[in-house]
Amino acid sequence: MNNIEAKAIGFDHYGGLDVLEERNILVEISSLHDVIVKIERAGVNPVDTMFRSGGMSGGRPLDHFWIPGSEVQGEIVAMREPVAGLAIGDKVIGKPGRGGYAEYVALSHQNVFKIPEGMSLDEAAGFSGTASTAYWGLHGGFYNIQPGQTIAVVGASGSVGSYAVQLLKDFDVRIIAAASPKNRDYVLSLGADIFIDYTDQAQVNEYAGQADFVMDASLFNKGEKTALTLAKENATYMGMTTLPDPSLRPDVERVFLSRTAEMTNAIAMPALFNFYRKHGLTIKTGYVLPFTLDGVKEAHQMIEENRQPGKIILSREAE
Ligand SMILES: NC(=O)c1ccc[n+]([C@@H]2O[C@H](COP(=O)([O-])OP(=O)(O)OC[C@H]3O[C@@H](n4cnc5c(N)ncnc54)[C@H](OP(=O)(O)O)[C@@H]3O)[C@@H](O)[C@H]2O)c1
């Protein structure tokens, strides 16, 4: 297989929306890649905006064209060698580390999965990154959840949070879920036992000190204070963007959700598909935008302003 010419949306220096541009690129195919996916849809995530703004750069300048996009849906158009269970023409979920805002992506077959029956293409596009994050947050050995415990999910209406609330069905626990009031019915429909409006401090205080484990899946850790308030004495707090200053709750153990090499998609995705078949696993696909430069800019702006009415998907069908 040769490298493929493709259009892609990315940036070569950090900054605001204006650093985003469309370019013709060569999608490089190395010996690690055995499946080429023609991308039809991509999920847009807060981390994409953090990469663009330089929030993940550690102060180092960028020296190449960076293409965000860590979850896609598309069609297999080429394979290096036959792979059991995959064929050219299959509609699949792809999980690149990045490079999803493009026409094509080259992937190892271990990051390509047939879409389970019943899952829409839009849902499939927004599934792999955030569902696997929620999966490893609960199954990655960061905290040993016991039946009967109280688990709080802050940011329970978001992509990671809503998957986490649903996946907690497997643990026989009491779930406290915090989100904004417009998402109350949605969050309760996912299986939360108690809904907390994080904008109402009295409601947060009512459940202060009740959670054994708090998963802070709020946008850019904005719900950190709520999460720490809900934590029991000596509880565990899981952060996804940063960790709180230890002085805020010296008794609380702080763990950061970062995936190790053992936490592979090849483990998480089949487990998530099994859960999907058994219980269903939904996400609020809030907005489907055209897969264009303007679509990407609008998606990033909505996320940065916390205006996204659910998961944002870029779709070629919306062009
Ligand atoms: N470490 C990792 O591996 C990893 C992986 C994926 C994501 N992340 C991070 O995890 C976070 C969540 O990602 P996502 O894709 O689920 O984002 P998302 O879909 O945009 O969801 C964000 C959630 O944050 C809530 N929120 C916003 N402001 C809040 C506040 N002041 N207090 C409490 N909650 C608030 C939102 O609630 P309402 O909409 O109801 O207001 C929503 O539930 C992001 O910061 C992302 O960068 C980390």
Side-chain angles (χ1 to χ4, degrees):
M1 288 190 291
N2 300 321
N3 293 344
I4 299 183
E5 281 186 37
K7 287 194 190 329
I9 296 163
F11 48 88
D12 66 7
H13 58 287
Y14 300 119
L17 298 177
D18 54 338
V19 303
L20 288 162
E21 57 174 304
E22 185 174 81
R23 281 194 190 172
N24 291 320
I25 57 151
L26 268 189
V27 176
E28 286 177 29
I29 300 165
S30 78
S31 56
L32 299 174
H33 302 134
D34 35 27
V35 180
I36 306 297
V37 173
K38 183 163 195 242
I39 298 173
E40 296 170 343
R41 290 167 179 76
V44 184
N45 286 298
V47 72
D48 303 351
T49 71
M50 287 170 70
F51 278 124
R52 193 213 70 231
S53 65
M56 309 280 285
S57 70
R60 287 180 297 280
L62 190 60
D63 61 2
H64 59 283
F65 189 60
W66 178 281
I67 304 161
S70 56
E71 46 184 19
V72 302
Q73 175 277 317
E75 185 175 314
I76 297 181
V77 290
M79 290 167 76
R80 190 186 293 278
E81 282 178 18
V83 176
L86 294 177
I88 290 176
D90 280 350
K91 296 285 185 190
V92 291
I93 289 172
K95 180 76 189 77
R98 61 189 164 106
Y101 293 7
E103 284 178 313
Y104 294 93
V105 68
L107 292 164
S108 153
H109 68 274
Q110 297 196 330
N111 292 318
V112 179
F113 307 91
K114 275 183 88 163
I115 299 172
E117 214 180 304
M119 187 181 281
S120 77
L121 299 180
D122 288 340
E123 276 183 296
F127 188 82
S128 57
T130 45
S132 60
T133 299
Y135 178 86
W136 287 120
L138 298 176
H139 294 273
F142 297 98
Y143 182 77
N144 185 12
I145 297 175
Q146 298 296 318
Q149 285 186 324
T150 295
I151 312 298
V153 179
V154 178
S157 57
S159 304
V160 177
S162 58
Y163 284 127
V165 169
Q166 294 169 85
L167 292 173
L168 280 167
K169 273 196 189 98
D170 270 349
F171 290 86
D172 191 18
V173 290
R174 172 175 172 255
I175 307 168
I176 299 178
S180 54
K182 63 178 186 287
N183 287 317
R184 180 180 192 281
D185 292 347
Y186 169 63
V187 166
L188 287 172
S189 77
L190 300 176
D193 297 293
I194 292 153
F195 174 83
I196 297 180
D197 166 6
Y198 66 72
T199 66
D200 180 348
Q201 194 56 43
Q203 271 190 47
V204 176
N205 290 343
E206 197 181 326
Y207 293 94
Q210 295 205 5
D212 297 277
F213 174 59
V214 188
M215 187 185 243
D216 183 1
S218 65
L219 185 67
F220 308 135
N221 273 32
K222 288 180 184 187
E224 179 183 289
K225 187 168 164 262
T226 301
L228 289 175
T229 303
L230 297 174
K232 231 178 212 174
E233 204 174 338
N234 301 320
T236 297
Y237 165 99
M238 170 176 279
M240 299 192 191
T241 316
T242 56
L243 286 177
D245 192 293
S247 65
L248 294 172
R249 278 289 303 264
D251 61 305
V252 167
E253 187 182 353
R254 302 163 311 135
V255 294
F256 187 73
L257 172 50
S258 60
R259 282 170 67 161
T260 63
E262 289 74 45
M263 298 182 196
T264 63
N265 298 315
I267 297 173
M269 295 297 282
L272 287 162
F273 292 152
N274 278 341
F275 190 98
Y276 176 85
R277 287 187 202 99
K278 202 163 140 202
H279 302 290
L281 198 49
T282 74
I283 186 172
K284 197 157 104 180
T285 300
Y287 222 63
V288 181
L289 289 170
F291 209 136
T292 58
L293 181 58
D294 284 347
V296 170
K297 285 185 177 179
E298 191 177 343
H300 278 221
Q301 189 166 17
M302 289 182 93
I303 288 174
E304 286 177 324
E305 294 171 1
N306 192 27
R307 284 194 291 114
Q308 70 279 33
K311 183 82 189 192
I312 301 181
I313 305 298
L314 303 168
S315 169
R316 306 231 181 258
E317 281 188 8
E319 282 172 31

